[in-house]
Amino acid sequence: MNRHDLAYVSPAAWRTLLRTHAELAEDPTVASWADRDWPLVRRRANPGEWQGVPLGLPLPPSAGKKRLAFLVPAEDIVAVVPSPSMVFASRAAPPSWRPTLLRLGQFAAQQGAEARVFGSLAWQAITGLDYLTGRSDLDFTLHVHRNTQLRPLADELARMEADAPMRLDGELIRGDGCAVNWRELHGGACELLVKTVAGVTLLDTGQFLSGRVPA
């Protein structure tokens, strides 16, 4: 599984898991999560987490905006899917956001990149719960190809953000799963913070653009 992937847990396995989290089982939203066919999201493992698949469940602001962490046996995961497409997520977006989502989706297609959404908009689209607030960013990923010119792509995202009603908080993700924030690349940083499912590390910008994998 990659970062931002969504994992569906069987309702029976979810009830078993919550027996070891008695305080969470009392929360009706958490208790019924799997019964409603809502997924969890792949996260990085915390120190000392060796057994099971690390998954997270971010609750909406009305439930305290908590980020719950679970270790789920691989056999309890019944399906894994990528984060929502921009087209799917746009249905749950505020009307003022939709022109930006359309522009971003069209630009991604022109670049041969795949645009997806994570964060508050994604969870609102998946669950129908109120995750977005007036201060929410648009969290998105652009899955790029080997020959994608990343600097011009980042420059265009900066132009889009200048016209957008919200902050664009996006990641450019290579085929090997290495991701960087477009803003760092646009800003001309000498080193980039590279994120993978295994961890976070700094890498020389030129090396990242040439396809090098962090050690």
Side-chain angles (χ1 to χ4, degrees), residues 85-115:
S85 69
M86 197 155 286
V87 172
F88 175 82
S90 66
R91 302 169 189 168
S96 62
W97 284 30
R98 291 173 189 165
T100 300
L101 288 165
L102 178 62
R103 180 179 174 185
L104 182 52
Q106 290 176 338
F107 173 69
Q110 292 168 0
Q111 300 301 310
E114 183 181 21

Side-chain angles (χ1 to χ4, degrees), residues 6-46:
L6 303 175
Y8 289 83
V9 178
S10 74
W14 184 243
R15 286 189 286 272
T16 298
L17 182 64
L18 288 185
R19 291 190 190 120
T20 62
H21 298 78
E23 74 287 358
L24 298 179
E26 297 176 1
D27 184 318
T29 300
V30 176
S32 63
W33 196 266
D35 288 317
R36 297 188 188 194
D37 199 28
W38 293 343
L40 283 72
V41 64
R42 181 69 160 92
R43 62 175 177 83
R44 279 190 293 271
N46 294 321

Side-chain angles (χ1 to χ4, degrees), residues 7-203:
Y8 289 83
V9 178
S10 74
W14 184 243
R15 286 189 286 272
T16 298
L17 182 64
L18 288 185
R19 291 190 190 120
T20 62
H21 298 78
E23 74 287 358
L24 298 179
E26 297 176 1
D27 184 318
T29 300
V30 176
S32 63
W33 196 266
D35 288 317
R36 297 188 188 194
D37 199 28
W38 293 343
L40 283 72
V41 64
R42 181 69 160 92
R43 62 175 177 83
R44 279 190 293 271
N46 294 321
E49 290 185 329
W50 303 109
Q51 295 183 336
V53 181
L55 299 177
L57 192 167
L59 292 173
S62 61
K65 207 173 182 179
K66 299 175 183 176
R67 295 181 177 272
L68 308 180
F70 300 94
L71 277 176
V72 179
E75 60 270 22
D76 291 341
I77 297 174
V78 297
V80 176
V81 300
S83 56
S85 69
M86 197 155 286
V87 172
F88 175 82
S90 66
R91 302 169 189 168
S96 62
W97 284 30
R98 291 173 189 165
T100 300
L101 288 165
L102 178 62
R103 180 179 174 185
L104 182 52
Q106 290 176 338
F107 173 69
Q110 292 168 0
Q111 300 301 310
E114 183 181 21
R116 294 194 170 274
V117 174
F118 66 101
S120 297
L121 177 57
W123 289 107
Q124 184 154 311
I126 291 167
T127 67
L129 301 177
D130 292 328
Y131 277 82
L132 290 170
T133 71
R135 301 183 299 277
S136 294
D137 300 336
L138 172 59
D139 300 306
F140 68 94
T141 57
L142 293 183
H143 297 260
V144 299
H145 297 287
R146 188 183 192 93
N147 297 324
T148 303
Q149 298 299 306
L150 297 185
R151 287 192 187 277
L153 190 153
D155 292 343
E156 179 60 24
L157 290 174
R159 287 188 283 270
M160 287 188 196
E161 185 176 57
D163 298 331
M166 68 301 212
R167 186 174 185 270
L168 303 185
D169 192 8
E171 295 182 354
L172 310 180
I173 304 182
R174 300 188 317 204
D176 58 8
C178 292
V180 298
N181 190 287
W182 72 267
R183 201 180 305 279
E184 291 186 25
L185 188 59
H186 173 69
C190 296
E191 291 184 313
L192 300 173
L193 192 66
V194 180
K195 299 180 180 180
T196 68
V197 74
V200 179
T201 188
L202 283 172
L203 186 65

